[in-house]
Amino acid sequence: MTLFVHPTPLRIAIIGGGFSGSHPGLAFRATFILDPERTFRVVAGFDYMVLVGQQRIEASGFSFYAKHTVNVPAAVLGFEYAYANLPLAKAKAYAGIDIRNTFVSGTFHKTIVYTNFKPFKVDEEEFTTKESVSRLGMGLRLGVEGELSPPVTINMCAGYSSINLFNPNTSGSRGQLLTPTVSEDFDRVERILGNLSFTMMVQYKF
């Protein structure tokens, strides 16, 4: 997250947003086998990821703490092709492609600690950022699945997905997709965003 202090008048301005490092998420999948060899599969599911950016500013007389949280759930529908049989655990290597409808909503929590008071004076506020939106994107992935103990299998994959590939907001009315505010200091036309993910799932075959 990018913040700066206006000295006159004294105020905190939120001009951008950043989410560094890795972020947790959950993935749920239902796989429908289309042939006896398990080569072709249709996959439907739900992903849920939480992005958190935090920053602190220390200044004369106060400390400012900011936390920007964005919830990113997505409905997923895709297709997988198992292109290779592996020698252990009846494993298969596969490639997949999916279409995903992603919903984006955020909250901003700020805390100001006035250090020139004894005891310190603390002001806290939490509010919703820009309006919630949905975006249509696409994902690609490569993975391996194998039997752990029948009928339980383990599925590990790495993928790259674009959140807003098909319908970014190009009007400039909302700014960038994940930033907490709309700012004149940055490009207001929404850019295409993507993320790299690593997933491990335990699956049960019915």
Side-chain angles (χ1 to χ4, degrees), residues 25-206:
L26 295 172
F28 302 91
R29 292 290 185 274
T31 303
F32 303 94
I33 307 299
L34 301 182
D35 65 298
E37 290 75 29
R38 299 187 296 123
T39 302
F40 302 99
R41 295 89 69 91
V42 172
V43 179
F46 178 79
D47 290 348
Y48 192 93
M49 185 167 55
V50 179
L51 307 176
V52 179
Q54 301 184 80
Q55 188 170 339
R56 180 180 68 183
I57 292 178
E58 298 286 351
S60 177
F62 73 92
S63 298
F64 181 85
Y65 302 87
K67 180 180 180 181
H68 180 211
T69 303
V70 179
N71 297 293
V72 192
V76 180
L77 180 64
F79 176 81
E80 291 179 352
Y81 170 69
Y83 60 86
N85 294 314
L86 303 179
L88 296 176
K90 296 182 181 180
K92 289 180 177 287
Y94 68 88
I97 185 171
D98 61 59
I99 299 295
R100 50 186 57 229
N101 191 27
T102 302
F103 304 90
V104 178
S105 63
T107 58
F108 190 86
H109 184 93
K110 66 178 183 180
T111 303
I112 304 176
V113 179
Y114 296 95
T115 54
N116 52 358
F117 286 85
K118 299 296 183 182
F120 293 160
K121 180 184 176 182
V122 179
D123 286 343
E124 292 190 81
E125 182 183 3
E126 182 170 293
F127 54 89
T128 301
T129 56
K130 297 178 294 187
E131 73 276 8
S132 300
V133 294
S134 65
R135 293 289 184 266
L136 189 65
M138 185 174 72
L140 301 171
R141 64 189 177 278
L142 294 173
V144 176
E145 67 167 15
E147 290 187 352
L148 187 64
S149 177
V152 178
T153 64
I154 190 166
N155 188 327
M156 295 181 292
C157 66
Y160 183 84
S161 59
S162 173
I163 298 175
N164 56 342
L165 180 63
F166 298 112
N167 62 338
N169 181 355
T170 58
S171 68
S173 61
R174 194 181 182 276
Q176 299 304 317
L177 181 60
L178 301 180
T179 54
T181 61
V182 180
S183 173
E184 298 290 345
D185 300 302
F186 292 94
D187 185 2
R188 293 169 61 98
V189 177
E190 184 179 311
R191 299 177 185 176
I192 303 296
L193 296 181
N195 66 280
L196 182 66
S197 63
F198 299 92
T199 307
M200 184 175 70
M201 292 183 288
V202 176
Q203 297 179 313
Y204 185 90
K205 292 194 296 184
F206 292 95

